[in-house]
Amino acid sequence: MALRALVARKSLGLGFQSEAKILAVGSAAHSRGFQTFSLPDLPYDYGALEPAISGEIMQLHHQKHHQTYVTNYNKALEQLHDAIAKGDAAAVVKLQSAIKFNGGGHVNHSIFWKNLTPVSHGGGEPPHGSLGWAIDTNFGSMEALVQKINAEGAALQGSGWVWLALDKELKKLVVETTANQDPLVTKGPTLVPLLGIDVWEHAYYLQYKNVRPEYLKNIWKVINWKYASEVYEKESP
Amino acid sequence: MVAPVAVAVAATTALATPSSLTCALVPSWQGLRGSLGPARSLQWPKKQQRQCRRKAGGTSVTAQFELKPPPYPLDALEPHMSKETLEYHWGKHHRGYVDNLNKLTAGTELDELSLEDIILATYNKGDLLPPFNHAAQIWNHDFFWESMKPGGGGKPSGELLELINRDFGSFERFVEELRSAAATQFGSGWAWLAYKANRLDVGNAVNPKPSDEDKRLVVVKSPNAVNPLIWDYSPLLTIDVWEHAYYLDFQNRRADYISIFLEKLVSWEAVSSRLEIAKARAAEREEEEERKKREEEEKTSDGEVEEIYVDKKSDDSETE
């Protein structure tokens, strides 16, 4: 149902402005009645996060990996569109894993790019406002939060993400991990992602090889806390 | 191909995987008293098989797994798989799994089990215990290195090719299936060719009428560290599709890596000899089960029913 609603909503072309910010909805209306997604631009140059993350990694990550998720997401949605039109229930169900993986890949990376920013633009500068207070309240200190995220990110088996999330219902901050490209929402419908760190090997391998903890240590230097604060303030009651 | 240390124990016994074998599986396949089924036994016999590839610390109880090198120099697969990739993949990743498993099992009851038995025990019916990932990744990597050879590729022959033709239609269709499994493993994991000889084995039930249909080649994929041993299949071939397996050489192009693996690296000889041993293992297990069944029947007629059934739950309904 949710997917059907998603397709239907896109097909009406509603909410383009706001959706574009989050999911980069493609502007070209699809001839078959629904819109496709497109790769969002990075808000900084590929090399702008060096030395924390190399330009080569950023370019491959954005142009190749994220692009592939977008392409395959669109493909799966097109197949979904057809399957729904034909009333083929089995085909609709069969498409779920590809939609979750590729759609999740697109959603997660779209957030990730905004979670990063060059040092010259305030990367790594800790949050001062209400998010800073909330972190102290929920985790004891910023250092404790960083330690927790690094530990959970390092311990994650295989590919996945580690998140700082706002649980809107419990009104508290939580650290979560998701496997593969599962988006945060799979861990609970009330979770809002403030910060997501990609711990797939493709996110760090060319520079950090097998030493994921080193990548996690360095990524804090380019974290965009301003963005996380904005989301937090908007979503906190 | 066979790890020398395993030979002594391996001689006639069915092993899951000849060449990657780190430790013989003798006892667990060999009808342990009270076990529910050969590979499914969760009653881990101790001290029966630990020596194989562990550092023999004299009579010391603390056994350690060792990092086993690939059966070729680290630059031997160039240009298809670079020395740098092997240095990290074997020298760092594989080594890390060995170190971590040794840390996790030291002083525990797992300390005396074979690698395979640790895998089966810590898989814990899908609710993974911490040593599982490390143990299974050691096994998977040993198996992966020995799935390749310098100058590999080409086509299989003999019985392996016959079975591939029978079970997939043609070699080309098999390759397509394996390629697709490897390409569509969402995230880190492995793609496998395995020999599936197991019978229907659900809980305590045993398929009373195993047919030849049960014995066939299958292509499967598995996430992260999971391998087909936990389904009681005999793995014959694997492709590592964790990104660290190909990222330095192919970056995001997993499909190219898979093609090169199949065209230039795969050792069909290794796969053939694994098939042979998998079949022998299956035959031996069947014989063993037959024998046990006969024994059961004899004992039943002797009127020893009560005592025997204490740990032979699975056969209750059948024998009565």
Side-chain angles (χ1 to χ4, degrees), chain A residues 175-234:
Chain A
V175 171
E176 287 281 353
T177 58
T178 55
N180 300 321
Q181 292 298 357
D182 292 359
L184 182 62
V185 69
T186 59
K187 283 290 173 93
T190 59
L191 296 176
V192 179
L194 304 181
L195 171 62
I197 298 180
D198 190 345
V199 294
W200 278 62
E201 287 172 324
H202 67 231
Y204 60 85
Y205 208 79
L206 292 179
Q207 188 175 354
Y208 295 95
K209 311 297 195 303
N210 59 304
V211 195
R212 189 192 286 176
E214 198 62 17
Y215 157 71
L216 286 168
K217 194 179 120 196
N218 283 340
I219 201 169
W220 296 104
K221 295 170 187 163
V222 288
I223 290 295
N224 186 352
W225 282 109
K226 201 164 159 254
Y227 170 77
S229 292
E230 281 165 16
V231 177
Y232 178 75
E233 276 156 30
K234 195 174 133 227

Short mmCIF file of all heavy atoms in Angstrom, two decimals, chain A residues 175-234:
data_model
loop_
_atom_site.label_atom_id
_atom_site.label_comp_id
_atom_site.label_asym_id
_atom_site.label_seq_id
_atom_site.Cartn_x
_atom_site.Cartn_y
_atom_site.Cartn_z
N VAL A 175 20.85 5.90 19.05
CA VAL A 175 21.80 5.44 18.03
C VAL A 175 21.27 4.10 17.52
O VAL A 175 20.91 3.23 18.30
CB VAL A 175 23.22 5.27 18.62
CG1 VAL A 175 24.14 4.58 17.62
CG2 VAL A 175 23.78 6.63 19.00
N GLU A 176 21.18 3.98 16.20
CA GLU A 176 20.69 2.76 15.59
C GLU A 176 21.65 2.32 14.49
O GLU A 176 22.38 3.15 13.94
CB GLU A 176 19.31 2.99 14.93
CG GLU A 176 18.16 3.14 15.89
CD GLU A 176 17.66 1.79 16.42
OE1 GLU A 176 18.12 0.74 15.93
OE2 GLU A 176 16.82 1.81 17.34
N THR A 177 21.61 1.04 14.15
CA THR A 177 22.31 0.61 12.94
C THR A 177 21.30 -0.07 12.02
O THR A 177 20.31 -0.64 12.49
CB THR A 177 23.44 -0.41 13.24
OG1 THR A 177 22.87 -1.54 13.90
CG2 THR A 177 24.51 0.20 14.11
N THR A 178 21.55 0.02 10.73
CA THR A 178 20.72 -0.72 9.77
C THR A 178 21.65 -1.51 8.85
O THR A 178 22.77 -1.07 8.55
CB THR A 178 19.82 0.20 8.92
OG1 THR A 178 20.63 1.19 8.27
CG2 THR A 178 18.78 0.89 9.78
N ALA A 179 21.18 -2.66 8.41
CA ALA A 179 21.99 -3.51 7.55
C ALA A 179 21.84 -3.08 6.09
O ALA A 179 20.79 -2.57 5.69
CB ALA A 179 21.56 -4.97 7.70
N ASN A 180 22.90 -3.29 5.33
CA ASN A 180 22.86 -3.06 3.88
C ASN A 180 22.35 -1.67 3.55
O ASN A 180 22.90 -0.70 4.01
CB ASN A 180 22.07 -4.18 3.21
CG ASN A 180 22.73 -5.53 3.49
OD1 ASN A 180 23.95 -5.63 3.50
ND2 ASN A 180 21.94 -6.55 3.76
N GLN A 181 21.27 -1.57 2.76
CA GLN A 181 20.75 -0.23 2.49
C GLN A 181 19.39 -0.01 3.15
O GLN A 181 18.62 0.85 2.72
CB GLN A 181 20.66 0.02 0.97
CG GLN A 181 22.00 0.13 0.27
CD GLN A 181 22.84 1.29 0.78
OE1 GLN A 181 22.42 2.09 1.62
NE2 GLN A 181 24.07 1.40 0.26
N ASP A 182 19.12 -0.77 4.16
CA ASP A 182 17.85 -0.54 4.86
C ASP A 182 17.84 0.89 5.37
O ASP A 182 18.76 1.31 6.08
CB ASP A 182 17.72 -1.47 6.07
CG ASP A 182 17.57 -2.94 5.65
OD1 ASP A 182 17.55 -3.21 4.44
OD2 ASP A 182 17.47 -3.78 6.56
N PRO A 183 16.79 1.65 5.04
CA PRO A 183 16.73 3.01 5.59
C PRO A 183 16.33 2.97 7.07
O PRO A 183 15.82 1.96 7.55
CB PRO A 183 15.66 3.69 4.74
CG PRO A 183 14.87 2.59 4.14
CD PRO A 183 15.71 1.36 4.11
N LEU A 184 16.56 4.06 7.74
CA LEU A 184 16.32 4.10 9.18
C LEU A 184 14.88 3.75 9.55
O LEU A 184 14.62 3.14 10.59
CB LEU A 184 16.69 5.49 9.73
CG LEU A 184 16.54 5.67 11.24
CD1 LEU A 184 17.46 4.72 12.00
CD2 LEU A 184 16.80 7.11 11.64
N VAL A 185 13.97 4.12 8.70
CA VAL A 185 12.55 3.93 9.00
C VAL A 185 12.21 2.45 9.23
O VAL A 185 11.24 2.12 9.90
CB VAL A 185 11.67 4.55 7.88
CG1 VAL A 185 11.79 3.76 6.60
CG2 VAL A 185 10.23 4.68 8.32
N THR A 186 13.07 1.55 8.73
CA THR A 186 12.82 0.12 8.95
C THR A 186 13.04 -0.26 10.42
O THR A 186 12.64 -1.33 10.84
CB THR A 186 13.75 -0.77 8.09
OG1 THR A 186 15.11 -0.48 8.42
CG2 THR A 186 13.52 -0.53 6.61
N LYS A 187 13.68 0.62 11.16
CA LYS A 187 13.89 0.34 12.59
C LYS A 187 12.79 0.94 13.46
O LYS A 187 12.80 0.80 14.68
CB LYS A 187 15.25 0.88 13.05
CG LYS A 187 16.42 0.02 12.63
CD LYS A 187 16.45 -1.30 13.41
CE LYS A 187 17.50 -2.26 12.93
NZ LYS A 187 18.76 -2.17 13.65
N GLY A 188 11.86 1.65 12.83
CA GLY A 188 10.76 2.24 13.59
C GLY A 188 10.22 3.45 12.88
O GLY A 188 11.00 4.31 12.46
N PRO A 189 8.91 3.52 12.74
CA PRO A 189 8.30 4.61 11.95
C PRO A 189 8.44 5.98 12.61
O PRO A 189 8.22 7.00 11.95
CB PRO A 189 6.83 4.18 11.85
CG PRO A 189 6.61 3.24 12.99
CD PRO A 189 7.93 2.58 13.26
N THR A 190 8.81 6.02 13.89
CA THR A 190 8.89 7.33 14.55
C THR A 190 10.32 7.87 14.56
O THR A 190 10.59 8.90 15.16
CB THR A 190 8.39 7.24 16.01
OG1 THR A 190 9.19 6.27 16.71
CG2 THR A 190 6.94 6.80 16.06
N LEU A 191 11.23 7.14 13.90
CA LEU A 191 12.62 7.58 13.91
C LEU A 191 12.91 8.57 12.77
O LEU A 191 12.60 8.31 11.61
CB LEU A 191 13.56 6.37 13.77
CG LEU A 191 13.52 5.37 14.92
CD1 LEU A 191 14.41 4.17 14.61
CD2 LEU A 191 13.95 6.03 16.22
N VAL A 192 13.53 9.68 13.13
CA VAL A 192 13.93 10.68 12.13
C VAL A 192 15.46 10.70 12.08
O VAL A 192 16.11 10.88 13.10
CB VAL A 192 13.42 12.08 12.53
CG1 VAL A 192 13.87 13.11 11.52
CG2 VAL A 192 11.91 12.07 12.68
N PRO A 193 16.04 10.51 10.89
CA PRO A 193 17.51 10.50 10.82
C PRO A 193 18.08 11.91 10.95
O PRO A 193 17.72 12.81 10.19
CB PRO A 193 17.79 9.92 9.43
CG PRO A 193 16.55 10.20 8.63
CD PRO A 193 15.40 10.24 9.59
N LEU A 194 18.97 12.09 11.91
CA LEU A 194 19.68 13.37 12.02
C LEU A 194 21.04 13.24 11.35
O LEU A 194 21.56 14.18 10.77
CB LEU A 194 19.88 13.75 13.50
CG LEU A 194 18.62 13.82 14.36
CD1 LEU A 194 19.00 14.22 15.79
CD2 LEU A 194 17.62 14.81 13.77
N LEU A 195 21.61 12.06 11.50
CA LEU A 195 22.96 11.83 11.01
C LEU A 195 23.09 10.35 10.65
O LEU A 195 22.77 9.48 11.46
CB LEU A 195 23.95 12.18 12.14
CG LEU A 195 25.41 11.83 11.95
CD1 LEU A 195 25.98 12.57 10.76
CD2 LEU A 195 26.19 12.18 13.22
N GLY A 196 23.53 10.08 9.42
CA GLY A 196 23.75 8.69 9.02
C GLY A 196 25.17 8.54 8.51
O GLY A 196 25.64 9.35 7.71
N ILE A 197 25.87 7.55 9.01
CA ILE A 197 27.24 7.31 8.54
C ILE A 197 27.28 5.98 7.80
O ILE A 197 26.89 4.94 8.33
CB ILE A 197 28.24 7.32 9.71
CG1 ILE A 197 28.22 8.71 10.38
CG2 ILE A 197 29.65 6.99 9.21
CD1 ILE A 197 29.17 8.82 11.56
N ASP A 198 27.74 6.07 6.58
CA ASP A 198 27.84 4.91 5.69
C ASP A 198 29.05 4.07 6.11
O ASP A 198 30.18 4.56 6.09
CB ASP A 198 28.01 5.42 4.25
CG ASP A 198 27.87 4.31 3.22
OD1 ASP A 198 27.92 3.12 3.60
OD2 ASP A 198 27.71 4.66 2.03
N VAL A 199 28.81 2.82 6.52
CA VAL A 199 29.97 1.97 6.82
C VAL A 199 30.11 0.82 5.82
O VAL A 199 30.70 -0.22 6.12
CB VAL A 199 29.97 1.44 8.29
CG1 VAL A 199 30.16 2.59 9.25
CG2 VAL A 199 28.72 0.66 8.63
N TRP A 200 29.55 0.99 4.64
CA TRP A 200 29.89 0.07 3.54
C TRP A 200 31.38 0.25 3.24
O TRP A 200 31.92 1.36 3.36
CB TRP A 200 29.09 0.43 2.29
CG TRP A 200 27.71 -0.11 2.24
CD1 TRP A 200 26.69 0.16 3.11
CD2 TRP A 200 27.19 -1.02 1.26
NE1 TRP A 200 25.57 -0.53 2.72
CE2 TRP A 200 25.84 -1.26 1.60
CE3 TRP A 200 27.72 -1.66 0.14
CZ2 TRP A 200 25.02 -2.11 0.85
CZ3 TRP A 200 26.90 -2.49 -0.62
CH2 TRP A 200 25.57 -2.72 -0.25
N GLU A 201 32.00 -0.80 2.82
CA GLU A 201 33.42 -0.68 2.51
C GLU A 201 33.67 0.35 1.39
O GLU A 201 34.69 1.03 1.39
CB GLU A 201 34.00 -2.06 2.14
CG GLU A 201 34.12 -2.94 3.39
CD GLU A 201 34.50 -4.38 3.10
OE1 GLU A 201 34.06 -4.93 2.08
OE2 GLU A 201 35.25 -4.97 3.91
N HIS A 202 32.73 0.48 0.48
CA HIS A 202 32.96 1.44 -0.61
C HIS A 202 33.08 2.88 -0.10
O HIS A 202 33.59 3.74 -0.80
CB HIS A 202 31.89 1.33 -1.72
CG HIS A 202 30.50 1.72 -1.33
ND1 HIS A 202 29.40 0.92 -1.57
CD2 HIS A 202 30.00 2.83 -0.75
CE1 HIS A 202 28.30 1.52 -1.14
NE2 HIS A 202 28.64 2.68 -0.65
N ALA A 203 32.60 3.12 1.11
CA ALA A 203 32.66 4.48 1.67
C ALA A 203 34.06 4.85 2.14
O ALA A 203 34.35 6.02 2.35
CB ALA A 203 31.67 4.61 2.83
N TYR A 204 34.93 3.85 2.32
CA TYR A 204 36.23 4.19 2.89
C TYR A 204 37.40 3.34 2.38
O TYR A 204 38.55 3.60 2.67
CB TYR A 204 36.16 4.07 4.43
CG TYR A 204 35.81 2.68 4.94
CD1 TYR A 204 36.78 1.71 5.12
CD2 TYR A 204 34.48 2.34 5.22
CE1 TYR A 204 36.46 0.44 5.58
CE2 TYR A 204 34.15 1.07 5.68
CZ TYR A 204 35.13 0.13 5.87
OH TYR A 204 34.81 -1.13 6.31
N TYR A 205 37.13 2.30 1.59
CA TYR A 205 38.17 1.30 1.34
C TYR A 205 39.40 1.84 0.61
O TYR A 205 40.53 1.49 0.94
CB TYR A 205 37.59 0.08 0.60
CG TYR A 205 38.39 -1.16 0.94
CD1 TYR A 205 38.18 -1.85 2.13
CD2 TYR A 205 39.38 -1.64 0.09
CE1 TYR A 205 38.93 -2.96 2.48
CE2 TYR A 205 40.13 -2.75 0.42
CZ TYR A 205 39.90 -3.41 1.61
OH TYR A 205 40.64 -4.49 1.96
N LEU A 206 39.20 2.68 -0.37
CA LEU A 206 40.35 3.16 -1.15
C LEU A 206 41.33 3.94 -0.27
O LEU A 206 42.52 3.99 -0.55
CB LEU A 206 39.87 4.02 -2.31
CG LEU A 206 39.11 3.27 -3.41
CD1 LEU A 206 38.67 4.23 -4.52
CD2 LEU A 206 39.94 2.13 -4.00
N GLN A 207 40.83 4.52 0.79
CA GLN A 207 41.68 5.33 1.66
C GLN A 207 42.06 4.62 2.96
O GLN A 207 43.20 4.69 3.39
CB GLN A 207 40.94 6.62 1.98
CG GLN A 207 41.77 7.66 2.70
CD GLN A 207 40.99 8.96 2.86
OE1 GLN A 207 39.88 9.10 2.33
NE2 GLN A 207 41.55 9.89 3.60
N TYR A 208 41.10 3.93 3.56
CA TYR A 208 41.34 3.36 4.88
C TYR A 208 41.49 1.84 4.87
O TYR A 208 41.76 1.24 5.91
CB TYR A 208 40.19 3.75 5.83
CG TYR A 208 40.12 5.24 6.10
CD1 TYR A 208 39.28 6.07 5.36
CD2 TYR A 208 40.91 5.82 7.07
CE1 TYR A 208 39.21 7.43 5.59
CE2 TYR A 208 40.86 7.18 7.33
CZ TYR A 208 40.00 7.98 6.59
OH TYR A 208 39.94 9.33 6.82
N LYS A 209 41.27 1.22 3.70
CA LYS A 209 41.36 -0.24 3.58
C LYS A 209 40.52 -0.93 4.65
O LYS A 209 39.36 -0.59 4.83
CB LYS A 209 42.82 -0.69 3.64
CG LYS A 209 43.75 0.09 2.70
CD LYS A 209 43.40 -0.11 1.25
CE LYS A 209 44.49 0.35 0.29
NZ LYS A 209 44.92 1.75 0.41
N ASN A 210 41.14 -1.88 5.35
CA ASN A 210 40.37 -2.65 6.31
C ASN A 210 40.15 -1.94 7.64
O ASN A 210 39.47 -2.46 8.51
CB ASN A 210 41.10 -3.97 6.60
CG ASN A 210 42.50 -3.72 7.14
OD1 ASN A 210 43.28 -3.03 6.49
ND2 ASN A 210 42.81 -4.25 8.31
N VAL A 211 40.70 -0.73 7.78
CA VAL A 211 40.65 -0.08 9.10
C VAL A 211 39.44 0.85 9.24
O VAL A 211 39.55 2.07 9.23
CB VAL A 211 41.96 0.68 9.39
CG1 VAL A 211 42.05 1.03 10.88
CG2 VAL A 211 43.17 -0.16 9.00
N ARG A 212 38.29 0.25 9.35
CA ARG A 212 37.06 1.03 9.45
C ARG A 212 37.07 2.00 10.65
O ARG A 212 36.57 3.13 10.53
CB ARG A 212 35.85 0.10 9.52
CG ARG A 212 34.54 0.84 9.41
CD ARG A 212 33.34 -0.04 9.78
NE ARG A 212 33.01 -1.03 8.76
CZ ARG A 212 32.04 -1.95 8.92
NH1 ARG A 212 31.33 -1.97 10.02
NH2 ARG A 212 31.80 -2.83 7.96
N PRO A 213 37.60 1.59 11.81
CA PRO A 213 37.60 2.52 12.94
C PRO A 213 38.32 3.84 12.65
O PRO A 213 37.93 4.89 13.17
CB PRO A 213 38.32 1.73 14.04
CG PRO A 213 38.09 0.29 13.69
CD PRO A 213 38.10 0.25 12.19
N GLU A 214 39.33 3.80 11.80
CA GLU A 214 40.07 5.01 11.46
C GLU A 214 39.19 5.95 10.63
O GLU A 214 39.19 7.17 10.81
CB GLU A 214 41.34 4.63 10.69
CG GLU A 214 42.41 5.68 10.62
CD GLU A 214 42.98 6.08 11.98
OE1 GLU A 214 42.79 5.33 12.97
OE2 GLU A 214 43.58 7.17 12.06
N TYR A 215 38.46 5.37 9.72
CA TYR A 215 37.49 6.14 8.92
C TYR A 215 36.46 6.79 9.83
O TYR A 215 36.16 7.98 9.72
CB TYR A 215 36.83 5.20 7.91
CG TYR A 215 35.48 5.61 7.37
CD1 TYR A 215 35.34 6.69 6.48
CD2 TYR A 215 34.32 4.91 7.73
CE1 TYR A 215 34.10 7.04 5.98
CE2 TYR A 215 33.08 5.26 7.23
CZ TYR A 215 32.96 6.33 6.36
OH TYR A 215 31.73 6.67 5.86
N LEU A 216 35.95 6.01 10.77
CA LEU A 216 34.93 6.54 11.68
C LEU A 216 35.51 7.66 12.55
O LEU A 216 34.83 8.65 12.84
CB LEU A 216 34.38 5.41 12.56
CG LEU A 216 33.43 4.44 11.84
CD1 LEU A 216 33.17 3.20 12.67
CD2 LEU A 216 32.12 5.14 11.49
N LYS A 217 36.75 7.50 12.92
CA LYS A 217 37.40 8.53 13.75
C LYS A 217 37.51 9.85 12.97
O LYS A 217 37.25 10.92 13.50
CB LYS A 217 38.78 8.02 14.15
CG LYS A 217 39.44 8.81 15.27
CD LYS A 217 40.81 8.21 15.61
CE LYS A 217 41.89 9.23 15.38
NZ LYS A 217 43.24 8.61 15.32
N ASN A 218 37.86 9.72 11.70
CA ASN A 218 38.13 10.92 10.91
C ASN A 218 36.89 11.60 10.34
O ASN A 218 36.92 12.79 10.02
CB ASN A 218 39.10 10.59 9.77
CG ASN A 218 40.52 10.46 10.27
OD1 ASN A 218 40.85 10.95 11.35
ND2 ASN A 218 41.35 9.77 9.51
N ILE A 219 35.83 10.84 10.19
CA ILE A 219 34.67 11.44 9.53
C ILE A 219 34.05 12.55 10.37
O ILE A 219 33.42 13.47 9.84
CB ILE A 219 33.61 10.36 9.17
CG1 ILE A 219 32.70 10.89 8.06
CG2 ILE A 219 32.80 9.93 10.39
CD1 ILE A 219 31.80 9.85 7.44
N TRP A 220 34.29 12.50 11.69
CA TRP A 220 33.71 13.55 12.55
C TRP A 220 34.25 14.93 12.20
O TRP A 220 33.63 15.94 12.50
CB TRP A 220 33.97 13.23 14.02
CG TRP A 220 33.26 11.96 14.42
CD1 TRP A 220 33.82 10.73 14.62
CD2 TRP A 220 31.86 11.79 14.63
NE1 TRP A 220 32.85 9.81 14.92
CE2 TRP A 220 31.63 10.43 14.94
CE3 TRP A 220 30.75 12.66 14.57
CZ2 TRP A 220 30.37 9.91 15.20
CZ3 TRP A 220 29.49 12.15 14.83
CH2 TRP A 220 29.31 10.80 15.14
N LYS A 221 35.41 14.97 11.53
CA LYS A 221 35.99 16.26 11.16
C LYS A 221 35.20 16.97 10.06
O LYS A 221 35.41 18.16 9.81
CB LYS A 221 37.44 16.06 10.68
CG LYS A 221 38.34 15.55 11.80
CD LYS A 221 39.71 15.13 11.25
CE LYS A 221 40.53 14.47 12.35
NZ LYS A 221 41.66 13.69 11.82
N VAL A 222 34.35 16.21 9.38
CA VAL A 222 33.58 16.83 8.29
C VAL A 222 32.07 16.62 8.47
O VAL A 222 31.30 16.72 7.53
CB VAL A 222 34.02 16.29 6.90
CG1 VAL A 222 35.39 16.84 6.53
CG2 VAL A 222 34.04 14.76 6.87
N ILE A 223 31.66 16.35 9.70
CA ILE A 223 30.23 16.19 9.94
C ILE A 223 29.56 17.57 9.99
O ILE A 223 30.06 18.51 10.60
CB ILE A 223 29.96 15.43 11.27
CG1 ILE A 223 30.38 13.97 11.12
CG2 ILE A 223 28.49 15.53 11.67
CD1 ILE A 223 29.57 13.16 10.12
N ASN A 224 28.42 17.63 9.33
CA ASN A 224 27.66 18.87 9.24
C ASN A 224 26.61 18.91 10.36
O ASN A 224 25.46 18.52 10.16
CB ASN A 224 27.00 18.95 7.87
CG ASN A 224 26.31 20.29 7.63
OD1 ASN A 224 26.20 21.11 8.55
ND2 ASN A 224 25.85 20.50 6.42
N TRP A 225 27.03 19.38 11.52
CA TRP A 225 26.10 19.42 12.66
C TRP A 225 25.01 20.48 12.47
O TRP A 225 23.97 20.42 13.10
CB TRP A 225 26.87 19.66 13.95
CG TRP A 225 27.55 18.41 14.44
CD1 TRP A 225 28.89 18.15 14.44
CD2 TRP A 225 26.92 17.24 14.98
NE1 TRP A 225 29.13 16.89 14.95
CE2 TRP A 225 27.94 16.31 15.29
CE3 TRP A 225 25.58 16.88 15.23
CZ2 TRP A 225 27.67 15.05 15.83
CZ3 TRP A 225 25.32 15.64 15.78
CH2 TRP A 225 26.36 14.74 16.08
N LYS A 226 25.30 21.44 11.61
CA LYS A 226 24.31 22.48 11.37
C LYS A 226 23.07 21.86 10.73
O LYS A 226 21.93 22.14 11.12
CB LYS A 226 24.91 23.53 10.43
CG LYS A 226 24.24 24.85 10.49
CD LYS A 226 25.09 25.95 9.86
CE LYS A 226 24.20 27.12 9.48
NZ LYS A 226 23.97 27.22 8.03
N TYR A 227 23.32 20.97 9.78
CA TYR A 227 22.20 20.31 9.13
C TYR A 227 21.42 19.45 10.14
O TYR A 227 20.20 19.48 10.20
CB TYR A 227 22.70 19.43 7.96
CG TYR A 227 21.64 18.53 7.40
CD1 TYR A 227 20.65 19.03 6.55
CD2 TYR A 227 21.60 17.17 7.74
CE1 TYR A 227 19.66 18.20 6.06
CE2 TYR A 227 20.61 16.34 7.25
CZ TYR A 227 19.63 16.85 6.41
OH TYR A 227 18.65 16.04 5.93
N ALA A 228 22.16 18.67 10.93
CA ALA A 228 21.51 17.81 11.92
C ALA A 228 20.68 18.65 12.90
O ALA A 228 19.56 18.27 13.27
CB ALA A 228 22.55 16.99 12.68
N SER A 229 21.22 19.79 13.29
CA SER A 229 20.50 20.68 14.22
C SER A 229 19.20 21.19 13.59
O SER A 229 18.16 21.27 14.25
CB SER A 229 21.37 21.88 14.60
OG SER A 229 22.45 21.45 15.38
N GLU A 230 19.30 21.55 12.33
CA GLU A 230 18.10 22.08 11.65
C GLU A 230 17.00 21.03 11.62
O GLU A 230 15.84 21.33 11.90
CB GLU A 230 18.45 22.49 10.21
CG GLU A 230 19.13 23.84 10.14
CD GLU A 230 19.78 24.09 8.77
OE1 GLU A 230 19.45 23.34 7.80
OE2 GLU A 230 20.61 25.00 8.69
N VAL A 231 17.38 19.79 11.27
CA VAL A 231 16.38 18.73 11.23
C VAL A 231 15.81 18.51 12.64
O VAL A 231 14.60 18.39 12.83
CB VAL A 231 16.98 17.41 10.70
CG1 VAL A 231 15.94 16.28 10.73
CG2 VAL A 231 17.53 17.59 9.29
N TYR A 232 16.71 18.50 13.61
CA TYR A 232 16.27 18.26 14.99
C TYR A 232 15.28 19.33 15.44
O TYR A 232 14.23 19.04 16.01
CB TYR A 232 17.48 18.25 15.93
CG TYR A 232 17.13 18.05 17.37
CD1 TYR A 232 16.75 16.81 17.85
CD2 TYR A 232 17.16 19.13 18.27
CE1 TYR A 232 16.41 16.62 19.18
CE2 TYR A 232 16.81 18.96 19.60
CZ TYR A 232 16.44 17.71 20.05
OH TYR A 232 16.10 17.52 21.36
N GLU A 233 15.63 20.57 15.16
CA GLU A 233 14.76 21.66 15.62
C GLU A 233 13.42 21.64 14.92
O GLU A 233 12.38 21.93 15.51
CB GLU A 233 15.46 23.02 15.44
CG GLU A 233 16.38 23.33 16.62
CD GLU A 233 17.49 24.30 16.27
OE1 GLU A 233 17.28 25.15 15.37
OE2 GLU A 233 18.58 24.19 16.87
N LYS A 234 13.46 21.25 13.66
CA LYS A 234 12.22 21.19 12.90
C LYS A 234 11.33 20.04 13.40
O LYS A 234 10.11 20.16 13.44
CB LYS A 234 12.56 20.97 11.42
CG LYS A 234 11.41 21.24 10.48
CD LYS A 234 11.86 21.15 9.03
CE LYS A 234 10.90 20.31 8.24
NZ LYS A 234 11.50 19.33 7.38
#
